Amino acid sequence: MDFNPSDEERVFRDQVSAFCSRKIAPRWVDIDERGEIEPQLIKDMADAGLLGVTLPEEYGGQGGTFTEAAIAGEEIAYSGPALSIAVLYLIQASWPYIVHRYGGEELRYEILPRIAAGEAVIGISSTEAHGGSDISSILCRADRLEDGSWVINGEKSMTSLPSVVEKMPWGGGWFLIARTGDPALKHRTITDFLVLMKRDGRLVEGISYKPWTEFARRGLDTSVIRFDNVRVEPKYVVGGVNSGFKIAMEGFNLARSMIGAVCVGCARWLMDQAVEWLRRRKVFGKPLASYQGISFKLADYAKELEAARLLSYKAAWMADRYYLRREDGVSLSDVALWGAMAKLKCAGLAVDLGEDVMKWFGGASYFKETPIFRAWLAAFSYVVGAEGAENIMRLIIAREILGREYVE
Ligand SMILES: Cc1cc2nc3c(=O)[nH]c(=O)nc-3n(C[C@H](O)[C@H](O)[C@H](O)COP(=O)(O)OP(=O)(O)OC[C@H]3O[C@@H](n4cnc5c(N)ncnc54)[C@H](O)[C@@H]3O)c2cc1C
């Protein structure tokens, strides 16, 4: 067992960190306040090799590992703890890999090099108004026409990225989970599509959206998105017809391991804010750091942060072992289990730590001039819902430990 990163990983972290210090750290508050990640920043990320980390070089990617993708996720979140840039990044580090794994060749060559080049982005469109956790109950339909193409109709209630897709030079869209048969058959009649809202610089007909007003991670929008008779060619089916549920779960598993690393980056930033403040701020003639009621709590958080960090890297390492090294004895269940544990642990830690850091800052934390609330609320998105709510992570973990027959 070796807890040291390899030389390549160390160099990679230094390079990403240098990029983030120049391009993200000075502007993350402004991005969050204005509610827009500029396309130029996305292009800069692509030029720095950050938008195709896990994609093979043949598709313009870096041919890197999920561990490297997690390293970059941690650094991006540390430099931009309101997380919108990190969220954009982690979605590109996970869902395009699934398109690469299960999409046809024509589709792969159309979209993946454009993502890696910063000309297109894709997101995930799954959640519907009647409940996001139960994906097997989705109603958004895809019906096959006589010529083999598909027509999509329905509404997704929380889909991130539409306004970003709209501004990308080439375009992009979503990995969309749709119903392609009898809803009573639940996960057995679900098919995955890549549905583009913009292609070749032009908006596709039939897709409209209305953004929610978000508390944090405001550089990108999460919207209600409608699909009205949207025509999709057969090449945009990802994987087999009616076999989309399991494939989609693979995407969520990968995304969750990245979310772990991103939340660790966010928590590291919160920790640094706390350390600096507790040393500097004097009350009753002494620095806050000298009160054990506070310093002991900080010590506990330091321990938890290290544990969370190890967990997040183990989740990424599991993905490497399953997808890249194809090791015997590592299964998809392992990737699911470690991804769920990483997301549950790391997002929860960032939120708990954020709440205490807010309290340690006293009244100052209540004003926008102190940006801690942005990091705290951004991490909260991963506790309440984004890419699976907390209890769903517990469900996955319990299922793996106790057995499916005991945990529904
Ligand atoms: C900022 C943000 C961005 C998002 N972006 C996207 C996106 O890009 N694409 C997308 O598809 N979705 C997106 N979502 C939606 C997200 O995936 C859902 O919020 C999530 O899946 C939970 O669904 P829900 O909100 O409908 O909650 P529900 O499914 O209604 O769950 C409500 C509560 O019940 C709990 N619960 C559910 N089932 C069980 C159970 N069996 N046992 C115990 N407790 C249970 C949950 O943990 C949760 O606390 C986003 C959400 C947020 C907040």
Side-chain angles (χ1 to χ4, degrees):
M1 191 173 296
D2 184 357
F3 287 98
N4 285 316
S6 68
D7 288 345
E8 295 85 51
E9 286 163 351
R10 214 187 311 269
V11 169
F12 180 66
R13 185 185 291 278
D14 289 347
Q15 285 170 348
V16 177
S17 169
F19 171 86
C20 294
S21 305
R22 273 186 290 115
K23 298 282 184 180
I24 297 177
R27 23 222 274 243
W28 69 272
V29 172
D30 185 48
I31 287 170
D32 202 45
E33 191 59 28
R34 282 189 299 106
E36 187 198 6
I37 305 173
E38 318 86 21
Q40 183 58 47
L41 177 57
I42 300 174
K43 181 80 184 115
D44 291 344
M45 289 169 74
D47 292 345
L50 292 174
L51 292 182
V53 177
T54 55
L55 291 176
E57 288 170 17
E58 176 186 1
Y59 301 101
Q62 307 301 307
T65 62
F66 289 101
T67 304
E68 285 168 339
I71 289 171
E74 184 189 335
E75 292 306 320
I76 293 169
Y78 177 75
S79 291
L83 295 190
S84 45
I85 305 159
V87 169
L88 178 95
Y89 162 81
L90 80 87
I91 295 174
Q92 311 315 306
S94 43
W95 292 97
Y97 184 82
I98 298 297
V99 172
H100 157 258
R101 189 167 162 85
Y102 292 103
E105 198 168 287
E106 206 185 334
L107 171 59
R108 294 202 299 253
Y109 279 111
E110 178 179 11
I111 191 73
L112 300 179
R114 291 182 165 117
I115 292 172
E119 293 165 6
V121 291
I122 65 167
I124 161 71
S125 193
S126 151
T127 306
E128 298 182 7
H130 54 275
S133 301
D134 183 8
I135 293 174
S136 70
S137 296
I138 54 148
L139 297 171
C140 177
R141 287 199 63 82
D143 294 296
R144 195 167 2 201
L145 303 177
E146 270 179 15
D147 65 0
S149 63
W150 296 81
V151 61
I152 312 241
N153 279 293
E155 190 171 277
K156 298 286 187 182
S157 59
M158 297 179 215
T159 289
S160 297
L161 294 179
S163 67
V164 181
V165 169
E166 210 173 313
K167 289 185 193 119
M168 296 306 288
W170 189 84
W174 294 274
F175 185 100
L176 178 126
I177 301 169
R179 175 71 60 198
T180 42
D182 181 357
L185 294 177
K186 297 277 189 170
H187 59 276
R188 277 171 288 158
T189 51
I190 285 178
T191 303
D192 301 327
F193 295 84
L194 188 76
V195 178
L196 296 175
M197 183 172 86
K198 189 176 176 187
R199 186 195 303 132
D200 265 335
R202 280 190 296 277
L203 287 173
V204 168
E205 271 185 34
I207 303 181
S208 54
Y209 68 92
K210 188 170 184 299
W212 293 99
T213 311
E214 293 185 50
F215 281 123
R217 40 184 275 184
R218 297 186 59 256
L220 49 86
D221 63 312
T222 298
S223 295
V224 177
I225 180 160
R226 274 205 63 76
F227 300 88
D228 291 306
N229 294 319
V230 177
R231 290 288 285 266
V232 174
E233 292 168 44
K235 69 173 175 180
Y236 293 107
V237 174
V238 182
V241 174
N242 289 335
S243 56
F245 185 80
K246 281 191 174 156
I247 294 173
M249 291 306 120
E250 287 191 49
F252 285 116
N253 295 339
L254 284 180
R256 285 167 191 157
S257 77
M258 298 296 126
I259 289 166
V262 158
C263 289
V264 165
C266 178
R268 242 179 71 203
W269 180 84
L270 285 163
M271 192 66 150
D272 284 2
Q273 302 304 302
V275 169
E276 215 264 320
W277 172 259
L278 295 178
R279 283 177 178 152
R280 185 162 48 90
R281 176 73 176 169
K282 282 191 177 152
V283 290
F284 297 102
K286 291 194 298 184
L288 276 174
S290 64
Y291 293 94
Q292 286 188 340
I294 290 179
S295 66
F296 281 14
K297 214 162 189 188
L298 186 88
D300 278 341
Y301 279 123
K303 168 202 66 171
E304 290 300 309
L305 180 52
E306 192 52 32
R309 202 168 190 226
L310 289 173
L311 200 50
S312 74
Y313 282 104
K314 181 147 183 191
W317 179 69
M318 279 293 172
D320 285 340
R321 292 176 70 198
Y322 180 77
Y323 287 106
L324 306 181
R325 296 193 225 148
R326 296 188 169 86
E327 277 181 34
D328 289 341
V330 181
S331 67
L332 263 181
S333 297
D334 294 317
V335 183
L337 173 67
W338 290 93
M341 289 202 287
K343 181 174 189 273
L344 182 61
K345 172 80 183 168
C346 303
L349 169 68
V351 170
D352 292 347
L353 172 60
E355 189 179 332
D356 269 316
V357 180
M358 295 275 289
K359 289 176 188 163
W360 295 337
F361 267 73
S365 68
Y366 205 68
F367 305 107
K368 275 192 163 184
E369 284 72 11
T370 311
I372 292 158
F373 75 99
R374 295 180 197 270
W376 177 48
L377 285 169
F380 197 60
S381 74
Y382 283 127
V383 166
V384 289
E387 311 248 14
E390 265 195 330
N391 278 354
I392 300 308
M393 300 307 104
R394 294 189 175 103
L395 209 80
I396 294 167
I397 298 165
R399 231 181 235 158
E400 292 303 327
I401 295 169
L402 295 165
R404 275 171 191 271
E405 61 275 35
Y406 295 100
V407 183
E408 281 198 9

